[in-house]
Amino acid sequence: MTKIIDGRKAEITNSLQVYTNWVTLATEHGYPKAAYVYGSDPRVHLNDGDTVTMLTSTFVHDGAMIWVVQARNGEQFLYSEKGLRILPNEAPAPITVLPDESLGGTLREYREVKRKAAVGELVKVFGHGRSDGNGVFRVDSIIDEDDGCGETIRYVSGGRTLGTPYYNGGAYVVLEPTEILVIDGERLREVDRKAAVGERVIVTKPESDAEDYGDYGVGDAYTVTAFGTDYYGVFVAAKAADGKRAYLYATEYAVLEPVETATPTPEPAPLLSAQPAESQAAANVAVLTLKVTELEAQVKALTDWHRRAAAELRVAREDIVLIEEGVSDDIKALEKRISALEPFERKVASGPVDNTPPSFAKSTQQIRDEIVERAKADVSDLRKFSGKKIPNDSVSFWPKTELPHAYIAMHTVEFVVNSAKRTVVAIIRCTQDGLTTRGIAKCAPGETFNAHIGRAIALHRALGLTVPAEYLNAPGPTEVRVGDVVQTYLYGGTALTPFTVAGIRGHKLYDTASAYDRDGCYTPFEPEKTGDHITDDSRENGGFPAAPSALKGAA
């Protein structure tokens, strides 16, 4: 029997509204242990204020629906709606996508529900069962063990019969099939109704003579091209080589309706870490002001060039008048070139606007230094992230703590820095079940790599948190410092060469301490002329190129 689980939560408001000995009713609805013969009830009955899960409705009695409900310890009861207060809906149950054997392996969404399983149902087992495939098994048998953990389910894995007790949903969850299928990456709802022309259908129960009508099978999806001659029959596009259309009877298909998802509510723009609103606004204004200033400098340079070109054109025009008549052909050629350049002269008729940056604006290097220090602080004390739900895990982030009578290390965090590949990976590992969650940060080409900012970004992503905007939009460095990795024309070479700065004297960079001692062996750093660039300002791991390194610590 297919059970339909309601899944809502309810609070007991009148514990006397329980029906204890309606065994026949409970058995008819698939929950025989929701009632017992009078005098043989072993259950601990509920009190007002207890929370239960609503499983299924039965029938109306005394003007109210009788519900099968389940307590937190797994025991089930028959309760009148008069003794329940239905609580607001919680977050939807997690979904697992698996091939549906009854549909030829078509992917179907299964709802993960914390309840006791029945024989033949699919379950996802946590713990040792995870080592076998994806931890999904079909229940083979159930043993009723009175050990305080509830019934133990049995399932076959790798030729062995394994057992898992209920533990009130902590050891396994039941996978209840939904009507949602996933075909070619699209979520479609399976509906039993008549199909319309243009709709998609899926073959569910092909007749024995299917090969005579297009050679279709279970799980094949088609588009309806025309109605058939019998009731609900349809023609669909065939896959046969001869081009013959397949004909589906009404009992052979289900309609596939697209699952319409609501437009997600846009999230507010992330704030800059934990700074006060005034500081955030000032920092944002400073960054934008710097960018505007840089753009204005570029425009000014182009404008000056155009002005110089216009002045030179005017001088050339005056000189041409003095040229002897014997060079008239050359004059005509020059006039043609002047005519082509005259539009530039008109464009620069009006001078550039003077937008001097505000006095409170910080330099680009100051802004980057502050962001790096905030990134270091983010990963130095991980207790600030306590209680954050970790993606793909059933527990929340619980850092290592030392208590008066206990030592607990629920999660550890490992940072793997690869400056050669310009990536940082944060690995959160649970010490209880061994589950790991990863977050990665990768520096974009042309930008400056910084391991400290990378660690903060990777940690936020591993915890499923929004990455602060300041880390993603940090400005590049403008000042070279000892320990930076720069890319420049080393010793007047012909190719850009990366090296770690060992010493600085004015605009001179030294790649080793010995070179620093010899004043003649230096490299000028001139990004405006030669394209010199700071590639890594982490100032750790010994410079470029650094082998992958790992920083471990209890989180």
Side-chain angles (χ1 to χ4, degrees), residues 426-442:
I427 305 173
I428 300 176
R429 182 173 286 104
C430 181
T431 59
Q432 284 193 337
D433 55 20
L435 292 178
T436 59
T437 303
R438 297 170 182 261
I440 186 169
K442 186 170 184 179

mmCIF file of all heavy atoms in Angstrom, residues 426-442:
data_model
loop_
_atom_site.group_PDB
_atom_site.id
_atom_site.type_symbol
_atom_site.label_atom_id
_atom_site.label_comp_id
_atom_site.label_asym_id
_atom_site.label_seq_id
_atom_site.Cartn_x
_atom_site.Cartn_y
_atom_site.Cartn_z
ATOM 1 N N ALA A 426 39.104 25.587 0.993
ATOM 2 C CA ALA A 426 38.790 25.388 2.419
ATOM 3 C C ALA A 426 38.036 24.070 2.551
ATOM 4 O O ALA A 426 37.009 23.869 1.900
ATOM 5 C CB ALA A 426 37.954 26.540 2.959
ATOM 6 N N ILE A 427 38.546 23.171 3.403
ATOM 7 C CA ILE A 427 37.929 21.859 3.611
ATOM 8 C C ILE A 427 37.465 21.776 5.059
ATOM 9 O O ILE A 427 38.277 21.806 5.989
ATOM 10 C CB ILE A 427 38.919 20.716 3.304
ATOM 11 C CG1 ILE A 427 39.492 20.869 1.891
ATOM 12 C CG2 ILE A 427 38.237 19.369 3.467
ATOM 13 C CD1 ILE A 427 40.597 19.880 1.584
ATOM 14 N N ILE A 428 36.142 21.689 5.261
ATOM 15 C CA ILE A 428 35.573 21.511 6.594
ATOM 16 C C ILE A 428 35.294 20.024 6.784
ATOM 17 O O ILE A 428 34.575 19.421 5.997
ATOM 18 C CB ILE A 428 34.278 22.331 6.764
ATOM 19 C CG1 ILE A 428 34.567 23.825 6.567
ATOM 20 C CG2 ILE A 428 33.677 22.088 8.145
ATOM 21 C CD1 ILE A 428 33.335 24.690 6.631
ATOM 22 N N ARG A 429 35.870 19.442 7.823
ATOM 23 C CA ARG A 429 35.717 18.002 8.064
ATOM 24 C C ARG A 429 35.064 17.787 9.433
ATOM 25 O O ARG A 429 35.530 18.318 10.438
ATOM 26 C CB ARG A 429 37.073 17.314 7.988
ATOM 27 C CG ARG A 429 37.009 15.810 8.168
ATOM 28 C CD ARG A 429 38.371 15.182 7.919
ATOM 29 N NE ARG A 429 38.702 15.166 6.492
ATOM 30 C CZ ARG A 429 39.553 15.997 5.923
ATOM 31 N NH1 ARG A 429 40.163 16.917 6.648
ATOM 32 N NH2 ARG A 429 39.814 15.934 4.622
ATOM 33 N N CYS A 430 33.973 17.012 9.447
ATOM 34 C CA CYS A 430 33.272 16.684 10.698
ATOM 35 C C CYS A 430 33.980 15.492 11.347
ATOM 36 O O CYS A 430 34.151 14.447 10.727
ATOM 37 C CB CYS A 430 31.798 16.364 10.429
ATOM 38 S SG CYS A 430 30.870 15.973 11.930
ATOM 39 N N THR A 431 34.394 15.638 12.613
ATOM 40 C CA THR A 431 35.126 14.568 13.290
ATOM 41 C C THR A 431 34.220 13.439 13.742
ATOM 42 O O THR A 431 34.704 12.391 14.167
ATOM 43 C CB THR A 431 35.868 15.129 14.507
ATOM 44 O OG1 THR A 431 34.910 15.723 15.401
ATOM 45 C CG2 THR A 431 36.874 16.194 14.084
ATOM 46 N N GLN A 432 32.888 13.623 13.656
ATOM 47 C CA GLN A 432 31.969 12.567 14.077
ATOM 48 C C GLN A 432 31.676 11.584 12.949
ATOM 49 O O GLN A 432 31.818 10.380 13.100
ATOM 50 C CB GLN A 432 30.664 13.165 14.596
ATOM 51 C CG GLN A 432 30.790 13.754 15.995
ATOM 52 C CD GLN A 432 29.424 14.049 16.588
ATOM 53 O OE1 GLN A 432 28.444 14.220 15.876
ATOM 54 N NE2 GLN A 432 29.359 14.117 17.904
ATOM 55 N N ASP A 433 31.280 12.113 11.778
ATOM 56 C CA ASP A 433 30.891 11.213 10.693
ATOM 57 C C ASP A 433 31.852 11.259 9.504
ATOM 58 O O ASP A 433 31.667 10.545 8.525
ATOM 59 C CB ASP A 433 29.472 11.538 10.198
ATOM 60 C CG ASP A 433 29.303 12.988 9.780
ATOM 61 O OD1 ASP A 433 30.341 13.630 9.515
ATOM 62 O OD2 ASP A 433 28.167 13.460 9.728
ATOM 63 N N GLY A 434 32.890 12.099 9.573
ATOM 64 C CA GLY A 434 33.876 12.148 8.507
ATOM 65 C C GLY A 434 33.432 12.902 7.269
ATOM 66 O O GLY A 434 34.177 12.978 6.297
ATOM 67 N N LEU A 435 32.225 13.489 7.278
ATOM 68 C CA LEU A 435 31.756 14.222 6.099
ATOM 69 C C LEU A 435 32.602 15.471 5.885
ATOM 70 O O LEU A 435 33.028 16.123 6.838
ATOM 71 C CB LEU A 435 30.279 14.613 6.271
ATOM 72 C CG LEU A 435 29.267 13.464 6.266
ATOM 73 C CD1 LEU A 435 27.874 14.003 6.499
ATOM 74 C CD2 LEU A 435 29.316 12.717 4.946
ATOM 75 N N THR A 436 32.848 15.818 4.618
ATOM 76 C CA THR A 436 33.629 16.998 4.280
ATOM 77 C C THR A 436 32.819 17.920 3.393
ATOM 78 O O THR A 436 32.001 17.485 2.597
ATOM 79 C CB THR A 436 34.938 16.621 3.553
ATOM 80 O OG1 THR A 436 34.613 15.907 2.359
ATOM 81 C CG2 THR A 436 35.830 15.777 4.450
ATOM 82 N N THR A 437 33.058 19.213 3.564
ATOM 83 C CA THR A 437 32.435 20.234 2.731
ATOM 84 C C THR A 437 33.548 21.166 2.254
ATOM 85 O O THR A 437 34.411 21.553 3.042
ATOM 86 C CB THR A 437 31.383 21.022 3.524
ATOM 87 O OG1 THR A 437 30.415 20.121 4.057
ATOM 88 C CG2 THR A 437 30.683 22.035 2.624
ATOM 89 N N ARG A 438 33.531 21.489 0.965
ATOM 90 C CA ARG A 438 34.612 22.281 0.377
ATOM 91 C C ARG A 438 34.111 23.611 -0.163
ATOM 92 O O ARG A 438 32.967 23.722 -0.598
ATOM 93 C CB ARG A 438 35.284 21.513 -0.766
ATOM 94 C CG ARG A 438 35.957 20.218 -0.326
ATOM 95 C CD ARG A 438 36.390 19.389 -1.528
ATOM 96 N NE ARG A 438 36.997 18.142 -1.099
ATOM 97 C CZ ARG A 438 38.305 17.939 -1.017
ATOM 98 N NH1 ARG A 438 39.124 18.908 -1.364
ATOM 99 N NH2 ARG A 438 38.785 16.785 -0.606
ATOM 100 N N GLY A 439 34.984 24.582 -0.113
ATOM 101 C CA GLY A 439 34.768 25.868 -0.756
ATOM 102 C C GLY A 439 36.046 26.262 -1.460
ATOM 103 O O GLY A 439 37.154 26.002 -0.965
ATOM 104 N N ILE A 440 35.947 26.882 -2.615
ATOM 105 C CA ILE A 440 37.145 27.205 -3.408
ATOM 106 C C ILE A 440 37.111 28.662 -3.833
ATOM 107 O O ILE A 440 36.050 29.229 -4.118
ATOM 108 C CB ILE A 440 37.266 26.275 -4.648
ATOM 109 C CG1 ILE A 440 38.572 26.526 -5.378
ATOM 110 C CG2 ILE A 440 36.083 26.451 -5.590
ATOM 111 C CD1 ILE A 440 38.891 25.504 -6.435
ATOM 112 N N ALA A 441 38.289 29.267 -3.845
ATOM 113 C CA ALA A 441 38.466 30.630 -4.347
ATOM 114 C C ALA A 441 39.570 30.584 -5.398
ATOM 115 O O ALA A 441 40.619 29.975 -5.171
ATOM 116 C CB ALA A 441 38.842 31.581 -3.213
ATOM 117 N N LYS A 442 39.321 31.207 -6.533
ATOM 118 C CA LYS A 442 40.294 31.194 -7.629
ATOM 119 C C LYS A 442 40.486 32.615 -8.125
ATOM 120 O O LYS A 442 39.527 33.322 -8.415
ATOM 121 C CB LYS A 442 39.801 30.297 -8.766
ATOM 122 C CG LYS A 442 40.830 30.116 -9.879
ATOM 123 C CD LYS A 442 40.409 29.040 -10.859
ATOM 124 C CE LYS A 442 41.486 28.787 -11.906
ATOM 125 N NZ LYS A 442 41.111 27.728 -12.864
#
